[in-house]
């Protein structure tokens, strides 16, 4: 009877020990060893682990809702703790077309957005002069869980709707114009439509600076004009008008520019005629001369003139000069600038010739504006814009191209090409008299282009903005894979909250040229989803990516783009990499394979304790075997767990990336009849994170892990030690 009792106790010890090993490897052991643990079946069913985040969905971006800001919102993502939002700005081309931006065009707006909404303030104090109203704003957002090292794919507003999904500001009524002496009874005000407007409000005042204005009317959004009735006492007076738009949401746009107008008064002089420009179509680099025919006065009145202009930049009327010389019918305007078209208007003013303070009467403006049959149109000889440099089929030359200079439809321009090897040095003429808007050129670092018009004295414009060839891609690029970066700097060798160390991305300069710097991008996908990591170019040949969202088991892809001194570049080299793990995190990742492998063992799951003794071998999901043997040994038990080239998982589930952990070695256990004992053995791992773990320091108490530590050593891909043998507390890996 005693011998039988001892045998039963030893079997019980084996069962307890077997349960303890399985529980331990599953990371499910209770920290309180005074309580009974659950069954093997309970312990072998782990809680669902969050391993990925879905991309946000249903992005909304406001269009013509606010004057100075754009509202962005998206659907909530389960298990996300914050969101990252980025923006790309698309500027319309000369025909008003918008191009959907590339991934490299996005820049970070804000990290750690803790709600599913974001307000992007584009203009702090909106006014009519802001250029941003014509831009289109594209957004993309990803979900993050920093604590777990998770980052979702991006959702971009263009993913489903293209440019139609992007945001726009609520614009300002432009082109505000009021009649100037066309009627004695009214002043008609007109303006250009604003997208999203449901109504327009019109204001009027008597101050040229726009102060003191009062509301005088409101019209529907389908109407872009207003007639302001004028009393007889107000005839001839100048009034100043502003217009603002209102949208469906009740928001109001900024005020328009000021439009000056006045009604005609009986006795006013006739409008000047014959207004024209003398040599004003791209034949001068500094001035234009305006001419008009004299307006006759009377015996009692003297005529003077007011010269006004508008431009392609600003439709407001600018008073250029009050010309008091009655016989003067020309004026040279030297206050204009290149790149703009100007239209001129002349107004005749009659005053008493005897010097008394009689009534001043103003004529209508001359009919010489942009919409007249013979506009008084002028522009300076201007340099071409959008000069660019591209590769040619001939390795000894490049292709230079540019937009035709302002006024090319009126003139037969040719172009001079200049070059320099230093950005701010003197540029030398290398190719004169080029027809068309592109040419092959010899290789230099920088280029500028001028416009030539041989019709007058000033035959050549100023030089354009500098253009430079975009550099070739780096010759090579390499990302570190579980590498020891402690030699870089103490700050570099710091793991993030997920136990992952930084990645070192390094590259070599292209053989053909020397870039001014490099931009580094990162993604969790090989061909898309890249995020710019360096807002300003890196001048070194390496970059340390201290990725706060990096997570063990995640593989990262990098692009290194070469840029010139102007910050331009499009050629890149690809690489990949991932950071080393802390000893604790290494053990957690290794333990996932151990837990999964033991879930396949059948003896552990048999209901009868006596049936748990025995031997079996299971196969890894990818390759290798796990051998199990539980037997009575002396006054206790001995359990053998032997791994042979065992692997269950691919890196990020992708076969092409290779196996995650490949395990070879033993995790054996001995115990006495009280189910106390220790573990022994070493497992050597290769795969994504090479290293090893020794079990000799782990204690078993009451059939469960109850003290001691594992001895973990981590290595790089070449077998060099990263973290020397380090004790990892027995409770690591048991977190729920």
């Amino acid at each position: 009877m005693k011998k039988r009792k001892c045998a039963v106790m030893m079997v019980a010890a084996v069962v307890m020990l077997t349960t303890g090993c399985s529980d331990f490897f599953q990371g499910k052991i209770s920290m309180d060893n005074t309580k009974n643990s659950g069954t093997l079946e309970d312990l072998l069913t782990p809680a669902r682990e969050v391993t990925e985040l879905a991309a946000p969905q249903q992005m909304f971006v406001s269009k013509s809702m606010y004057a100075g800001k754009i509202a962005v919102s998206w659907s909530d993502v389960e298990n996300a703790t914050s969101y990252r939002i980025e923006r790309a700005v698309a500027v319309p081309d000369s025909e008003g077309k918008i191009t959907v931006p590339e991934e490299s065009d996005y820049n970070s707006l804000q990290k750690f957005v803790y709600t599913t909404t974001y307000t992007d303030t584009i203009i702090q104090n909106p006014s009519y002069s802001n250029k941003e109203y014509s831009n289109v704003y594209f957004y993309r957002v990803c979900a993050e869980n920093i604590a777990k090292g998770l980052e979702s794919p991006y959702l971009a507003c263009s993913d489903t709707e293209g440019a139609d999904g992007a945001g726009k500001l609520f614009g300002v009524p432009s082109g505000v114009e009021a009649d100037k002496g066309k009627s004695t009874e009214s002043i008609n005000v007109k303006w250009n439509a604003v997208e999203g407007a449901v109504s327009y409000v019109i204001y009027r005042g008597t101050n040229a600076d726009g102060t003191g204005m009062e509301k005088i009317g409101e019209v529907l959004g389908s109407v872009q004009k207003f007639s302001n009735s004028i009393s007889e006492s107000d005839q001839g007076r100048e009034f100043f008008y502003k217009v603002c738009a209102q949208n469906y949401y009740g928001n109001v746009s900024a005020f328009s520019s000021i439009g000056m107008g006045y009604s005609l008064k009986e006795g006013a002089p006739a409008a000047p005629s014959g207004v024209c420009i003398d040599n004003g179509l791209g034949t001068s680099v500094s001035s234009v001369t305006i001419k008009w025919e004299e307006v006759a006065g009377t015996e009692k009145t003297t005529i003077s003139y007011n010269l006004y202009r508008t431009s392609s930049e600003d439709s407001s009327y600018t008073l250029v000069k009050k010309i008091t010389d009655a016989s003067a019918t020309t004026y040279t305007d030297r206050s204009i600038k290149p790149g703009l078209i100007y239209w001129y208007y002349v107004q005749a003013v009659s005053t008493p010739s005897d010097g008394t303070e009689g009534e001043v009467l103003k004529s209508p403006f001359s009919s010489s504006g942009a919409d007249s049959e013979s506009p008084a149109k002028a522009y300076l000889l201007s340099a071409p814009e959008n000069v660019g440099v591209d590769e040619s089929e001939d390795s000894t030359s490049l292709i230079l191209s540019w937009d035709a200079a302002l006024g090319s439809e009126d003139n037969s321009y040719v172009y001079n090409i200049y070059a320099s090897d230093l950005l701010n040095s003197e540029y030398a003429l290398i190719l004169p008299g080029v027809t068309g808007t592109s040419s092959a050129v010899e290789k230099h670092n920088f280029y500028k282009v001028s416009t030539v018009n041989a019709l007058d004295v000033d035959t050549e414009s100023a030089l354009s903005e500098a253009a430079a060839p975009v550099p070739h891609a780096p010759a090579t690029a390499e990302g570190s894979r579980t590498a020891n970066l402690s030699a870089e700097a103490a700050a570099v060798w710091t793991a993030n909250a997920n136990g992952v160390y930084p990645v070192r991305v390094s590259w070599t300069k292209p053989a053909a040229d020397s870039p001014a710097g490099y931009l580094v991008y990162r993604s969790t996908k090989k061909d898309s989803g890249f995020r710019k990591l360096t807002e300003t170019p890196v001048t070194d040949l390496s970059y340390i990516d201290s990725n706060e969202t990096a997570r063990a088991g995640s593989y990262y892809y990098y692009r290194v783009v070469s840029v010139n001194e102007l910050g331009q570049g499009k050629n890149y080299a690809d690489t990949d990499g991932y950071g080393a793990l802390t000893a604790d995190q290494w053990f957690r990742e290794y333990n996932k394979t151990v837990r999964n492998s033991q879930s396949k063992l059948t003896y552990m799951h048999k209901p009868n304790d006596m049936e748990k003794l025995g031997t079996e071998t299971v196969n890894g999901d990818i390759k290798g075997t796990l051998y199990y043997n539980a037997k009575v040994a002396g006054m206790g038990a001995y359990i053998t767990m032997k791994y042979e080239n065992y692997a269950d998982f691919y890196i990020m589930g992708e076969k092409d990336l290779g196996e995650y952990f490949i395990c070879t070695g033993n995790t054996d256990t001995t115990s006495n009849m009280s189910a106390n004992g220790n573990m022994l053995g070493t497992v050597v791992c290769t795969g994504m994170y090479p290293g090893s773990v020794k079990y000799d320091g782990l204690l078993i108490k009451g059939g469960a892990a109850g003290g001691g530590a594992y001895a973990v050593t981590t290595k790089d891909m070449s077998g060099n030690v990263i973290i020397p043998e380090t004790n990892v507390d027995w409770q690591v890996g048991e977190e729920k």
Side-chain angles (χ1 to χ4, degrees):
M1 290 295 293
K2 288 183 179 180
K3 184 178 289 187
R4 178 177 177 82
K5 182 177 181 182
C6 289
V8 171
M9 291 178 66
M10 284 189 286
V11 170
V14 171
V15 172
M16 293 176 67
L17 187 55
T18 304
T19 302
C21 288
S22 174
D23 290 344
F24 166 72
F25 285 123
Q26 300 271 350
K28 295 294 180 181
I29 293 298
S30 171
M31 300 303 165
D32 184 359
N33 285 294
T34 64
K35 297 180 181 179
N36 294 327
S37 53
T39 67
L40 280 175
E41 286 74 17
D42 292 338
L43 296 172
L44 289 170
T45 306
R48 177 177 173 269
E49 182 181 4
V50 179
T51 59
E52 62 181 0
L53 296 176
Q57 300 294 320
Q58 301 174 334
M59 179 181 286
F60 168 80
V61 181
S62 65
K63 302 175 183 63
S64 301
M65 181 180 290
Y66 303 107
K69 60 187 180 182
I70 293 177
V72 186
S73 62
W74 54 90
S75 61
D76 192 25
V77 174
E78 185 179 5
N79 297 312
T81 57
S82 63
Y83 301 88
R84 179 192 297 264
I85 187 164
E86 298 180 353
R87 181 187 70 196
V89 181
V91 179
D93 63 16
S94 58
E95 297 179 353
K97 295 180 180 178
I98 290 293
T99 301
V100 175
E102 303 285 342
E103 287 185 329
S104 58
D105 296 324
Y106 283 88
N107 290 297
S108 178
L109 280 178
Q110 186 169 326
K111 299 185 292 184
F112 309 127
V113 178
Y114 295 107
T115 64
T116 56
T117 62
Y118 181 80
T119 300
D120 183 17
T121 301
I122 307 294
I123 309 171
Q124 196 68 41
N125 297 300
S127 74
Y128 71 89
S129 61
N130 293 119
K131 306 295 185 185
E132 290 85 354
Y133 297 116
S134 62
N135 296 341
V136 178
Y137 298 88
F138 290 80
Y139 297 85
R140 67 179 189 176
V141 65
C142 72
E144 296 176 328
N145 186 319
I146 303 299
K148 294 184 178 294
L150 299 178
E151 177 182 308
S152 79
Y154 280 104
L155 169 68
C157 64
S158 59
D159 284 348
T160 56
E161 299 181 78
D164 291 337
K168 290 198 71 175
L169 296 173
F170 187 36
V172 176
S174 61
V176 175
E177 187 160 341
D179 287 347
K180 298 170 181 63
K182 290 186 176 181
S183 167
T184 58
E185 298 177 351
S186 63
I187 300 173
N188 292 319
V189 184
K190 62 180 181 178
W191 56 90
N192 297 324
V194 174
E195 182 179 350
V198 297
S199 65
Y200 298 96
V201 181
I202 301 91
Y203 294 82
R204 189 187 78 173
T206 56
N207 299 320
D209 62 1
T211 58
M213 287 192 168
E214 296 180 351
K215 177 180 175 180
I216 60 170
E218 185 172 350
V219 296
L220 294 176
S222 57
V223 178
Q224 288 90 52
K225 60 183 179 180
F226 178 79
S227 182
N228 178 206
S229 298
I230 299 299
S231 64
E232 184 175 353
S233 61
D234 283 338
Q235 289 177 355
R237 292 183 64 191
E238 289 183 350
F239 291 100
F240 300 90
Y241 298 87
K242 284 184 179 180
V243 183
C244 67
Q246 292 181 322
N247 61 24
Y248 171 82
Y249 306 97
N251 298 321
V252 179
S253 74
F255 280 111
S256 69
S257 59
I258 298 171
M260 184 266 283
Y262 58 92
S263 67
L264 193 64
K265 188 166 186 175
E266 293 294 337
S273 59
V275 179
C276 63
I277 306 297
D278 184 22
N279 271 352
L281 301 181
T283 56
S284 171
V285 296
S286 59
S287 65
V288 296
T289 299
I290 304 95
K291 295 182 177 181
W292 59 93
E293 295 179 2
E294 183 179 356
V295 175
T298 66
E299 293 182 357
K300 296 183 178 181
T301 60
T302 299
I303 298 296
S304 61
Y305 303 97
N306 291 336
L307 178 64
Y308 289 84
R309 73 171 184 237
T310 60
S311 75
S312 54
E313 180 181 53
D314 186 356
S315 61
S316 298
Y317 286 78
T318 299
L319 177 61
V320 179
K321 184 69 175 178
K322 289 186 175 182
I323 303 169
T324 58
D325 183 355
S327 62
T329 55
T330 65
Y331 181 78
T332 299
D333 186 5
R334 304 181 187 279
S335 63
I336 57 178
K337 59 184 180 180
L340 297 177
I341 300 174
Y342 295 90
W343 293 272
Y344 289 86
Y345 309 81
V346 184
Q347 176 191 56
V349 180
S350 69
T351 56
S353 56
D354 58 4
T356 60
E357 295 184 0
E359 189 172 27
V360 176
L361 299 175
K362 299 177 180 179
S363 78
F365 271 34
S366 60
S367 300
S368 53
D371 56 354
S372 67
E373 293 184 3
S374 301
K377 173 184 172 183
Y379 49 83
L380 298 178
L381 185 60
S382 306
E385 296 182 342
N386 299 320
V387 181
V389 187
D390 290 303
E391 296 284 339
S392 71
E393 295 181 359
D394 178 3
S395 61
T396 63
S397 65
L398 297 167
I399 299 296
L400 198 66
S401 61
W402 54 88
D403 292 346
L406 179 65
S408 59
E409 68 278 7
D410 302 319
N411 300 282
S412 299
Y413 290 146
V414 294
Y415 301 92
N416 288 344
I417 299 176
Y418 294 77
S420 174
D421 289 326
L422 296 174
L423 177 60
N424 297 315
S425 181
E426 183 177 351
Y427 284 70
L429 177 64
I430 61 168
L431 199 58
V434 177
T435 59
T437 56
S438 67
S439 177
V441 292
E442 60 189 49
K443 286 191 172 182
H444 288 278
N445 291 339
F446 301 97
Y447 299 90
K448 291 185 178 182
V449 184
S450 68
T451 308
V452 177
N453 187 346
L455 297 180
D456 212 322
V457 177
D458 293 326
T459 59
E460 185 176 12
S461 74
L463 300 184
S464 68
E465 294 292 326
V470 295
H472 292 83
T476 62
E478 183 178 4
S480 63
R481 301 183 184 184
T482 186
N484 187 343
L485 304 183
S486 60
E488 300 279 345
V492 171
W493 192 237
T494 302
N496 67 11
N498 306 308
V500 182
Y501 287 101
V503 176
R504 185 179 192 268
V505 184
S506 58
W507 54 91
T508 57
K509 78 178 199 66
D513 49 23
S514 297
Y518 304 87
L519 297 175
V520 183
Y521 297 80
R522 182 189 67 227
S523 177
T524 54
K525 298 180 181 179
K526 188 173 184 178
D527 299 314
S528 63
F530 283 89
R531 170 190 301 169
K532 186 187 295 183
L533 302 180
T534 52
E535 295 299 329
T536 57
V538 175
T539 55
D540 295 330
L541 294 176
S542 65
Y543 173 78
I544 301 298
D545 180 21
S546 300
N547 182 359
E548 61 198 6
T549 64
R551 183 173 184 268
S554 292
Y555 203 93
Y556 295 96
Y557 298 92
Y558 294 89
R559 285 180 177 174
V560 183
V561 180
S562 302
V563 296
N564 57 30
E565 285 188 55
L566 305 176
Q568 302 163 335
K570 61 181 179 181
N571 299 315
Y572 60 84
D574 282 316
T575 188
D576 49 49
Y578 50 90
L581 303 181
T582 63
D584 283 10
Q585 192 60 44
W586 187 97
F587 182 81
R588 292 187 182 98
E589 299 307 306
Y590 153 79
N591 208 28
K592 292 176 182 178
T593 294
V594 173
R595 292 200 307 264
N596 195 67
S597 68
Q598 293 203 2
S599 69
K600 301 174 184 179
L601 295 170
T602 58
Y603 279 98
M604 284 185 174
H605 303 281
K606 291 183 179 294
N608 189 308
D609 288 345
M610 294 293 292
E611 295 177 343
K612 295 181 185 293
L613 297 174
T615 300
E616 65 177 314
T617 300
V618 295
N619 295 320
D621 291 346
I622 298 174
K623 64 183 182 181
T625 59
L626 167 60
Y627 169 78
Y628 167 89
N629 181 30
K631 63 183 180 179
V632 175
M635 297 300 290
Y638 193 96
I639 299 176
T640 299
M641 295 277 192
K642 182 178 181 179
Y643 291 92
E644 187 67 41
N645 204 34
Y646 184 96
D648 271 341
F649 306 110
Y650 288 116
I651 299 169
M652 296 181 69
E654 298 182 21
K655 183 177 181 180
D656 290 344
L657 295 180
E659 295 87 354
Y660 191 36
F661 274 83
I662 307 168
C663 303
T664 297
N666 283 49
T667 61
D668 298 345
T669 307
T670 64
S671 74
N672 57 28
M673 289 186 295
S674 299
N676 297 323
N678 61 281
M679 293 190 71
L680 66 157
T682 299
V683 176
V684 176
C685 298
T686 56
M688 188 173 185
Y689 299 106
S692 63
V693 55
K694 292 182 180 179
Y695 286 85
D696 297 359
L698 191 70
L699 303 179
I700 300 297
K701 296 180 180 179
Y710 315 98
V712 170
T713 300
T714 68
K715 298 182 179 181
D716 63 20
M717 304 304 291
S718 299
N720 301 311
V721 172
I722 299 176
I723 301 176
E725 188 172 295
T726 301
N727 284 339
V728 173
D729 189 87
W730 69 276
Q731 297 180 90
V732 172
E734 299 193 12
E735 303 94 340
K736 293 185 179 181

